[in-house]
Amino acid sequence: MTLHADGPPATGPASATPPSAVPRAPGAWGHADGLELLGPVEGSGLRSESHLVRRADGQTIQVSRLVQIVLDEVRPDRSAEEVAARVSDAYGRRLTAEGLVHLVETKLEPLGLLTPVGGGAGEEPPAPPPRARPLLSLSLRGVLLPERAVGAVSGVLRPLYWPPTVVAVVLAALAVDLLLVIGPAEPGRALAQVLAAPALLLALWAVLTVAGLVHELGHATACRYGGARPGAIGFGVYLLFPAFYTDVTDSYRLSRAGRLRVDLGGLYFNLLCVLVLGPLYWVTGQGLFLIALVVMHLQMLEQLVPAVRLDGYYVLADLTGVPDLFARVGPVLRSLRPGTPVDPRVAELRPRARRIVVAWVLVVTPLLLVGAGWLLWNLPAIVAQNLLALRAQVEELLGAAAAGELATVLLTLVAIVLLVLPLLGVAVLLWRLLEMLAALLARMGVRLVHAPRHVSKEPPMTDLQDRTGPPPSAGDFTDELMLPAAVPVPTIGWRRAVYRATGSTVNLGPGPRERHQMEVAERLRAPVTGSRRIVVMSRKGGVGKTTMTFALGSTFAALRGDRVIAVDANPDAGNLAHRVSRPNRLTITDVLGGLDEIHTYAQLRGYTSQAAESRLEVLASDDDPRIGMALDREDYHQLIGLLDRFYNLIVLDTGTGILDSANQGLLAEADQVVLVARPGIDGGRAAALTLDWLDEHEHADLVRSAVVVINAVRPGVGAPLEPIVDHFERRCQRVVTVPWDPALETGGQTRLSALREATREGLVEVAAAVADGFVGGRGSR
């Protein structure tokens, strides 16, 4: 089998200048010792560009383009501000020094990629970086051939990968197999011959062991032929069985074709064994060579199965460009649950790679679960049978030693080793399962809640209390000090069922979906100082701008305690007021005519209508577009000034004409912009042109804080969303997609309760994205 690191690899040392040779800037970092930047992943199955780095301990890690640029720009003599500026120029998006510090301290330092320089002598050494320890990986490893020896041997064998040689070997091996099939070979007779003689059994084991080592040399030689550096060849236990491995982690730097050559190199060298064993069988007539050929062909077929980490797994990984297939199992399964958003580790895959990975997960997961269940169910019997067989082999060994039968002694020693290794493999596998279960329960926040059985009667240790702090006061009576920390309780799904079925004893905590909903709701309730003006706009009609205005305002009004008003500021006879059941006949023009008479909220309330479900207030525009067009920049300035006195959130629905005086006035008054676009190239182009216009007319701050809503998204319909989303993510604060919903297509009264759950969640995401901008900005008055 072939050993790859469980993460991705670049070319040469990260820094040619040692940290001690340059002046150290305050707050600077340097590359960790031995860090190598292996370069971009060729043939990647990810939508975004990814790169590989390798630590000194051999662990290879896949990083994003942003992280790669940070690693490129970090130097011990550069401060955080200088590195952030360089990264911003190279990446095309602004990275603040604070954001850089956060990225380095929370991600890159714990991963062992960067280390701070210029620290004090008393600082504690950093914790060792984590290493990938997948369940289905090799354990109990040992080295047979060190890296230097493997490099020397693979260098000699490199000509075997010359293309004409490869073609000749494959054709010759096929000819040998064909002759064995149509010739006078007798596998049954050969098997009986081998089983009758312990010496032949021992020789068969030796031949298959040598063939296994040749298989690993095939991987190493293919790695060397492609220009990468093979590592050591060793042995270990894979699941329950002994196996060889070759460290070809450096092959990640090769092209896709080079990596596939490495993956198939072991099978190619097995064909060389076929060219040796076939003629030996014909010349000697010895059955062990025929049995060795049969067993080796079965092993080759086994290697092609992609269910576990054998050659076929790595072939599939390199064909799809996704090097960590098993790491995608959980994200894929979570994304397949109805009503669950697509996991980022699934969304980042290209469509072709995503289809293949999903299909692989759906096939492999049941197979592994069934296999694991069978193994655990039969584990006691397997262990018992192994121990009985081990006892029998020990007795056989003692008898053979007493009789002086050397071949039998050697054969029983091999059998004893082969019986002991699965037992050790079982122990390691169970230990890893327990570790994974403990980690999973820790991540899920499992708590066993028990009622107190008794109250301690021991007297309080007043004499030992710490009296160095501030004296007690009424300020101590807070929820944080006086009450135990609240344990979140699941309210949906199977976790809630477990919590209720166990009488509130087992609390698994909220699941990922519920935690996400709680996090979004917390963001949506961000406090706002004074009033906040949100302009909803689009230069293209028919994109659902008015619907989004009403839905955004309704979401805020329903889920926050603020006063929220939606204003139909469309000069071309907008229809926002018709989304509520009883629109008010009074309009913006009436409010402007009565400005001197409106002194209280109650008086202004007489001009607005209200949505029954959300209590959102709506101020209508005039049905006659001639009146609406007569309203200018100063009129809207006076209107917004009035609304600022009575409302916390003002959502303004604009017209499509960005050049008219009214819309330009609204933009001048805006704290934030919500730009609505339809999915597709034309919708994206219109929205991008709007941002271009804002940039050119001194509204760059509105572009940076804008929330772009791609509305009415239908899966599989229209142009791919990813390039459109990527474009706006590079320019704006956030991009949110809202699925198509038939209830929003009628153009009549809109009720949030009539929307599909996915649509409601999308609208809450939009509101949360807008609320993310409430802190700071030019609108906090």
Side-chain angles (χ1 to χ4, degrees):
M1 66 177 292
T2 311
L3 173 67
H4 294 251
D6 294 294
T11 57
S15 176
T17 307
S20 59
V22 293
R24 295 173 176 177
W29 306 275
H31 293 155
D33 292 339
L35 184 71
E36 290 184 272
L37 309 182
L38 302 181
V41 179
E42 296 191 37
S44 173
L46 306 184
R47 297 182 185 276
S48 57
E49 181 181 340
S50 58
H51 296 251
L52 301 172
V53 299
R54 182 167 56 210
R55 297 195 309 242
D57 61 359
Q59 179 69 59
T60 309
I61 304 170
Q62 186 167 298
V63 299
S64 65
R65 176 171 172 263
L66 173 61
V67 172
Q68 176 68 25
I69 294 174
V70 170
L71 295 176
D72 285 337
E73 298 297 340
V74 159
R75 298 288 186 277
D77 58 335
R78 291 178 183 171
S79 64
E81 290 76 12
E82 184 178 357
V83 172
R86 289 173 175 268
V87 171
S88 299
D89 292 339
Y91 191 56
R93 294 182 65 183
R94 183 168 178 265
L95 176 66
T96 63
E98 293 78 9
L100 174 66
V101 171
H102 179 76
L103 173 65
V104 172
E105 292 183 348
T106 61
K107 298 293 183 183
L108 305 188
E109 284 186 11
L111 282 175
L113 305 183
L114 293 179
T115 57
V117 296
E123 291 185 356
E124 296 183 1
R131 285 189 59 85
R133 291 191 62 196
L135 178 64
L136 299 179
S137 62
L138 204 69
S139 58
L140 304 176
R141 297 183 194 175
V143 174
L144 290 174
L145 287 177
E147 181 177 337
R148 178 175 297 181
V150 172
V153 175
S154 61
V156 173
L157 299 177
R158 245 187 330 184
L160 291 173
Y161 280 97
W162 186 45
T165 304
V166 173
V167 173
V169 169
V170 172
L171 293 177
L174 289 175
V176 170
D177 284 342
L178 182 61
L179 291 173
L180 288 172
V181 171
I182 64 176
E186 300 181 35
R189 181 172 173 273
L191 180 60
Q193 182 185 14
V194 171
L195 293 178
L200 291 181
L201 275 175
L202 184 61
L204 176 62
W205 173 82
V207 169
L208 292 176
T209 301
V210 171
L213 289 173
V214 171
H215 177 97
E216 301 306 324
L217 280 174
H219 292 304
T221 305
C223 183
R224 180 72 181 273
Y225 180 84
R229 186 179 69 246
I233 291 178
F235 64 92
V237 176
Y238 188 63
L239 299 178
L240 306 180
F241 308 102
F244 295 119
Y245 74 87
T246 306
D247 186 351
V248 289
T249 304
D250 202 50
S251 65
Y252 278 122
R253 70 166 74 233
L254 304 179
S255 64
R256 176 182 290 175
R259 296 196 302 271
L260 287 171
R261 184 192 300 115
V262 174
D263 299 334
L264 297 171
L267 298 178
Y268 170 61
F269 266 44
N270 281 146
L271 296 182
L272 296 175
C273 295
V274 170
L275 297 183
V276 174
L277 294 175
L280 282 175
Y281 171 66
W282 291 325
V283 171
T284 65
Q286 185 55 255
L288 79 90
F289 297 122
L290 179 60
I291 299 303
L293 278 170
V294 173
V295 173
M296 194 170 61
H297 279 79
L298 293 176
Q299 291 175 337
M300 293 170 67
L301 291 175
E302 179 189 36
Q303 285 286 346
L304 290 175
V305 176
V308 289
R309 295 177 187 271
L310 300 177
D311 293 350
Y313 170 86
Y314 294 109
V315 168
L316 182 62
D318 286 326
L319 284 175
T320 58
V322 183
D324 50 351
L325 292 175
F326 276 112
R328 312 278 171 169
V329 172
V332 168
L333 295 178
R334 287 192 293 270
S335 301
L336 292 176
R337 291 187 302 187
T340 303
V342 178
D343 190 282
R345 299 211 66 186
V346 178
E348 68 181 354
L349 300 177
R350 298 180 185 271
R352 173 179 171 273
R354 181 171 172 177
R355 288 192 294 269
I356 295 175
V357 171
V358 170
W360 178 82
V361 169
L362 293 179
V363 172
V364 168
T365 303
L367 292 176
L368 293 180
L369 289 177
V370 170
W374 180 90
L375 175 63
L376 292 175
W377 180 262
N378 293 282
L379 190 58
I382 293 174
V383 173
Q385 290 296 326
N386 246 40
L387 291 176
L388 287 176
L390 186 60
R391 180 179 177 181
Q393 290 298 325
V394 170
E395 292 176 353
E396 180 75 14
L397 173 65
L398 295 177
E405 299 173 357
L406 180 60
T408 304
V409 169
L410 295 177
L411 185 61
T412 51
L413 284 175
V414 170
I416 289 172
V417 171
L418 295 179
L419 287 170
V420 169
L421 286 178
L423 295 176
L424 294 176
V426 166
V428 173
L429 186 62
L430 291 177
W431 179 254
R432 287 190 178 180
L433 282 172
L434 290 175
E435 283 186 329
M436 291 182 63
L437 181 60
L440 178 63
L441 293 177
R443 288 197 301 268
M444 293 168 61
V446 171
R447 294 176 175 85
L448 298 180
V449 184
H450 297 285
R453 296 183 182 273
H454 65 277
V455 178
S456 172
K457 297 184 181 298
E458 295 180 4
M461 299 177 65
T462 53
D463 293 339
L464 300 180
Q465 291 177 350
D466 182 8
R467 300 180 180 275
T468 60
S473 69
D476 295 336
F477 287 87
T478 63
D479 289 356
E480 291 79 6
L481 293 177
M482 295 297 174
L483 297 177
V487 179
V489 174
T491 60
I492 59 175
W494 65 270
R495 295 164 181 262
R496 175 176 177 268
V498 170
Y499 181 71
R500 298 189 65 178
T502 58
S504 305
T505 300
V506 178
N507 180 10
L508 300 177
R513 181 185 178 191
E514 189 174 3
R515 290 199 302 270
H516 176 72
Q517 291 174 346
M518 294 166 61
E519 183 265 336
V520 171
E522 183 67 24
R523 288 166 50 207
L524 188 143
R525 290 191 291 268
V528 59
T529 304
S531 65
R532 185 82 175 174
R533 308 158 181 175
I534 304 163
V535 171
V536 182
M537 63 185 305
S538 170
R539 292 181 66 179
K540 189 175 180 66
V543 301
K545 173 176 54 63
T546 298
T547 300
M548 190 56 57
T549 301
F550 184 83
L552 178 62
S554 296
T555 302
F556 275 133
L559 300 180
R560 293 175 60 97
D562 307 302
R563 288 179 181 171
V564 186
I565 186 170
V567 180
D568 194 341
N570 189 339
D572 192 18
N575 59 7
L576 178 63
H578 296 287
R579 302 304 174 99
V580 297
S581 57
R582 295 181 180 178
N584 198 320
R585 62 179 182 82
L586 300 177
T587 66
I588 291 177
T589 307
D590 297 308
V591 174
L592 291 173
L595 281 177
D596 295 336
E597 303 172 0
I598 302 174
H599 303 291
T600 65
Y601 169 72
Q603 291 174 324
L604 180 58
R605 180 67 184 82
Y607 293 84
T608 65
S609 53
Q610 190 174 64
E613 279 190 340
S614 64
R615 304 186 63 81
L616 169 71
E617 294 184 44
V618 176
L619 180 58
S621 67
D622 287 285
D623 287 334
D624 187 347
R626 291 173 296 179
I627 299 176
M629 294 298 291
L631 299 178
D632 59 13
R633 182 171 186 156
E634 181 59 29
D635 292 324
Y636 282 107
H637 175 71
Q638 294 180 14
L639 173 67
I640 293 173
L642 174 67
L643 299 179
D644 275 342
R645 292 161 51 190
F646 303 110
Y647 296 94
N648 303 103
L649 295 175
I650 306 169
V651 187
L652 299 149
D653 181 22
T654 66
T656 55
I658 200 172
L659 298 179
D660 62 67
S661 173
N663 280 343
Q664 293 196 29
L666 292 173
L667 289 173
E669 305 281 349
D671 295 316
Q672 200 168 6
V673 163
V674 174
L675 183 61
V676 184
R678 283 277 186 175
I681 297 176
D682 56 343
R685 183 186 299 111
L689 288 172
T690 303
L691 297 179
D692 292 344
W693 187 92
L694 292 173
D695 272 327
E696 294 166 0
H697 291 78
E698 300 181 355
H699 293 301
D701 54 340
L702 290 179
V703 173
R704 286 193 299 270
S705 64
V707 174
V708 178
V709 179
I710 303 179
N711 191 30
V713 174
R714 299 192 190 193
V717 178
L721 281 180
E722 289 74 16
I724 301 174
V725 171
D726 181 68
H727 171 87
F728 292 111
E729 282 182 341
R730 292 174 176 271
R731 305 182 67 176
C732 305
Q733 173 182 306
R734 185 76 186 276
V735 181
V736 183
T737 60
V738 176
W740 176 85
D741 196 308
L744 296 179
E745 296 293 317
T746 62
Q749 297 176 15
T750 302
R751 294 180 296 111
L752 294 182
S753 60
L755 303 180
R756 295 171 175 172
E757 184 178 9
T759 306
R760 292 198 302 270
E761 290 181 354
L763 294 174
V764 173
E765 288 277 3
V766 174
V770 174
D772 288 340
F774 286 178
V775 179
R778 66 177 185 170
S780 297
R781 290 178 296 279

